[in-house]
Amino acid sequence: MQYSARIYITLRPSVLDPAGVAVESGLHQLGYQEVAGVRIGKYIELKLNSDSETTAKEQISQMCEQLLANTVIENYNFELIPLS
Amino acid sequence: MQYSARIYITLRPSVLDPAGVAVESGLHQLGYQEVAGVRIGKYIELKLNSDSETTAKEQISQMCEQLLANTVIENYNFELIPLS
């Protein structure tokens, strides 16, 4: 069965995010004073063939641990959508 | 009222994604042969004070158009979550 996975990788809350600070400052300069707490992460989409949803979830967790996320400083989350 | 916004910025389907291709090749080398169509985008979280949900949505669309996304090559989507 084929699945579409949406993976969200975010910096852990205790880790500084200089890019987020820069974007927040840019938004303030454009006049969006009401914005706060900007954090920038990664969004990865992929397609996966797998026997079952459980296997697919395990595979994606492993991919995140091994390659996609740096678990020392990042958290990950994902959604799995069956395609067909 | 305060809202939390989750913004997803993705490359348009017609635009090449060399980083996605590299990650896909890395996953194949790690043994995940069943993965295809890897695309890498950005995930931005921010907090926003706004009078109404409609205003908040308009503001976020404007921020995406003006600063967060490059609409020539990228699409954006967002979710708004009321926080109190």
Side-chain angles (χ1 to χ4, degrees):
Chain A
M1 185 147 176
Q2 198 175 37
Y3 296 90
S4 171
R6 294 176 181 175
I7 304 166
Y8 311 103
I9 296 169
T10 48
L11 279 173
R12 287 177 184 267
S14 56
V15 177
L16 288 178
D17 179 5
V21 172
V23 166
E24 188 170 323
S25 150
L27 288 170
H28 288 173
Q29 282 172 37
L30 285 173
Y32 302 103
Q33 299 294 338
E34 60 283 359
V35 172
V38 179
R39 304 282 290 176
I40 299 184
K42 270 173 282 182
Y43 171 63
I44 301 176
E45 287 179 338
L46 55 82
K47 290 191 181 60
L48 181 71
N49 280 305
S50 199
D51 300 334
S52 71
E53 197 170 318
T54 315
T55 318
K57 284 184 178 171
E58 273 170 23
Q59 284 176 316
I60 292 173
S61 292
Q62 282 175 10
M63 288 179 213
C64 287
E65 297 278 344
Q66 285 184 40
L67 183 76
L68 303 178
N70 176 352
T71 53
V72 177
I73 55 166
E74 291 171 329
N75 290 325
Y76 62 86
N77 267 300
F78 58 85
E79 294 169 356
L80 211 57
I81 300 144
L83 297 173
S84 78
Chain B
M1 186 147 176
Q2 198 174 38
Y3 296 90
S4 170
R6 294 176 183 176
I7 304 166
Y8 311 103
I9 296 169
T10 48
L11 279 173
R12 287 177 184 267
S14 57
V15 177
L16 288 178
D17 179 5
V21 172
V23 166
E24 187 170 323
S25 151
L27 288 170
H28 289 172
Q29 282 172 38
L30 285 172
Y32 301 104
Q33 299 295 336
E34 60 284 359
V35 172
V38 179
R39 303 283 289 177
I40 298 184
K42 271 173 281 182
Y43 171 63
I44 301 177
E45 287 179 337
L46 55 83
K47 290 190 182 61
L48 181 70
N49 280 305
S50 199
D51 299 334
S52 71
E53 196 169 319
T54 316
T55 318
K57 282 184 179 173
E58 274 171 21
Q59 284 176 316
I60 292 174
S61 291
Q62 283 175 10
M63 289 178 212
C64 287
E65 296 279 343
Q66 285 184 39
L67 183 76
L68 303 178
N70 176 353
T71 53
V72 177
I73 55 166
E74 291 170 330
N75 290 326
Y76 62 86
N77 267 299
F78 58 86
E79 294 169 356
L80 210 57
I81 301 145
L83 296 175
S84 79

